[in-house]
């Protein structure tokens, strides 16, 4: 427990930060200073791991953990934004919504999306030749592309099932924006057909998806991953 005197000093420090930032702008977050972080034991130290962050950190991915850390280090001070986030958290507290994800899966997906090699050519002949070449002489980059796309498609299939459970529910504004983005991504014709069929990805589909994820819709794919990290952080807080 934190002594009352420390709490009082901390609240004064937070109030000063809040007031100072309000004077500068009406649209920004403020950064909690290092002394406040130590006083409140928000993140703990190397010698003391009993921190506020550890209590709320039930995230399933490294990206979700980083997002939770960001929430605590750069909190909102605008009432409207605080309310929007609190409504999103309340939704997860009162509804059974859990993502079927894990850290290793996302590590592999991120490794694939950041792969520094040329995108596979999106035509029948090249797809066939690259597949045969891989069978004759396996290359690590082709394996990473193959496995990364499989993990991504599996993730999208799981997301579709979870998102469908929200169809008849009234969602808070902040959460609704994120869910609508996921729905829009899943509605792409190529993605929708693959998710619906659940068939094994052919070498031709592999090249098409690599173009989709790493070239044509790269920014949207990265944004999708970011949205999932945010949901992971929200769910983690709600589980406490």
């Amino acid at each position: 427990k934190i002594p009352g005197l420390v709490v009082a000093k901390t609240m004064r420090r937070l109030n000063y930060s809040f007031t100072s930032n309000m004077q500068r702008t009406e649209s920004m977050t403020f950064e909690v200073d290092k002394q406040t972080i130590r006083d409140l034991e928000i993140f703990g130290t190397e010698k003391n791991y009993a921190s506020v962050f550890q209590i709320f950190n039930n995230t399933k991915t490294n990206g979700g953990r980083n997002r939770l850390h960001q929430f605590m280090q750069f909190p909102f001070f605008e009432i409207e934004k605080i309310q929007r986030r609190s409504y999103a958290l309340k939704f997860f507290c009162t509804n059974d919504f859990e993502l079927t994800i894990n850290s290793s899966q996302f590590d592999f997906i991120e490794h694939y999306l950041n792969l520094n090699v040329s995108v596979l050519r999106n035509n029948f002949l090249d797809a066939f030749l690259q597949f045969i070449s891989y069978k004759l002489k396996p290359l690590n980059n082709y394996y990473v592309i193959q496995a990364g796309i499989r993990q991504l498609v599996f993730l999208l299939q799981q997301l579709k099932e979870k998102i469908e459970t929200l169809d008849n529910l009234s969602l808070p504004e902040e959460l609704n924006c994120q869910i609508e983005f996921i729905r829009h991504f899943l509605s792409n014709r190529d993605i929708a057909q693959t998710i619906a069929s659940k068939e094994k990805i052919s070498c031709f589909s592999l090249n098409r998806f690599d173009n989709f994820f790493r070239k044509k819709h790269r920014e949207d794919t990265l944004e999708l991953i970011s949205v999932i990290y945010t949901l992971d952080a929200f769910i983690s807080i709600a589980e406490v």
Side-chain angles (χ1 to χ4, degrees), residues 3-217:
L5 180 60
V6 175
V7 171
K9 289 182 179 179
T10 300
M11 293 309 296
R12 285 199 297 271
R13 192 178 297 113
L14 283 172
N15 183 60
Y16 175 77
S17 299
F18 177 89
T19 304
S20 298
N21 280 282
M22 284 293 287
Q23 292 173 347
R24 289 199 297 272
T25 179
E26 295 182 356
S27 180
M28 63 181 295
T29 58
F30 69 89
E31 181 178 2
V32 180
D33 63 84
K34 293 181 180 180
Q35 184 60 48
T36 299
I37 288 175
R38 285 194 294 270
D39 287 347
L40 290 179
E41 296 184 348
I42 295 177
F43 299 118
T45 64
E46 293 182 0
K47 296 181 180 179
N48 177 24
Y49 290 96
S51 64
V52 174
F53 177 78
Q54 290 299 332
I55 292 172
F56 285 95
N57 181 30
N58 299 301
T59 53
K60 296 181 177 180
T61 65
N62 290 327
R65 183 182 185 280
N66 293 336
R67 190 60 46 85
L68 178 61
H69 191 283
Q70 183 181 32
F71 286 169
M72 292 187 175
Q73 182 152 15
F74 303 100
F76 291 142
F77 65 81
E78 297 154 294
I79 293 177
E80 181 181 354
K81 288 186 176 182
I82 293 173
Q83 288 178 332
R84 286 177 57 184
R85 180 163 291 176
S86 66
Y87 292 151
L89 292 172
K90 183 179 179 180
F91 175 86
F92 288 116
C93 288
T94 56
N95 291 274
D96 183 19
F97 185 88
E98 185 175 355
L99 295 173
T100 309
I101 56 178
N102 61 71
S103 182
S104 60
Q105 175 190 28
F106 271 78
D107 287 346
F108 210 109
I109 289 174
E110 285 196 340
H111 180 53
Y112 157 66
L113 291 175
N114 293 318
L115 196 62
N116 189 27
V117 296
S118 299
V119 174
L120 297 180
R121 295 188 181 94
N122 188 21
N123 64 74
F124 183 90
L125 180 59
D126 281 321
F128 179 73
L129 292 176
Q130 286 171 329
F131 175 73
I132 295 299
S133 176
Y134 173 70
K135 287 297 183 181
L136 296 175
K137 186 179 180 180
L139 298 174
N140 184 63
N141 287 339
Y142 191 88
Y143 168 77
V144 171
I145 293 172
Q146 193 177 58
I149 288 176
R150 285 174 179 168
Q151 290 290 346
L152 253 176
V153 170
F154 178 74
L155 170 66
L156 297 177
Q157 290 171 340
Q158 296 296 314
L159 274 178
K160 183 176 184 296
E161 293 179 3
K162 297 303 296 186
I163 296 303
E164 286 176 348
T165 66
L166 304 177
D167 286 347
N168 298 321
L169 298 178
S170 177
L171 302 177
E173 183 180 357
E174 182 164 346
L175 179 58
N176 187 61
C177 293
Q178 295 161 347
I179 298 302
E180 283 303 310
F181 178 84
I182 296 175
R183 285 192 177 117
H184 176 74
F185 190 95
L186 296 176
S187 68
N188 179 278
R189 185 177 62 181
D190 287 339
I191 295 296
Q193 290 176 348
T194 300
I195 292 175
S197 67
K198 293 188 177 182
E199 295 178 356
K200 184 177 179 180
I201 299 173
S202 68
C203 62
F204 313 115
S205 296
L206 186 74
N207 285 43
R208 186 175 73 252
F209 277 130
D210 192 38
N211 267 265
F212 182 96
F213 292 132
R214 288 204 297 141
K215 185 177 180 181
K216 187 176 180 180
H217 295 283

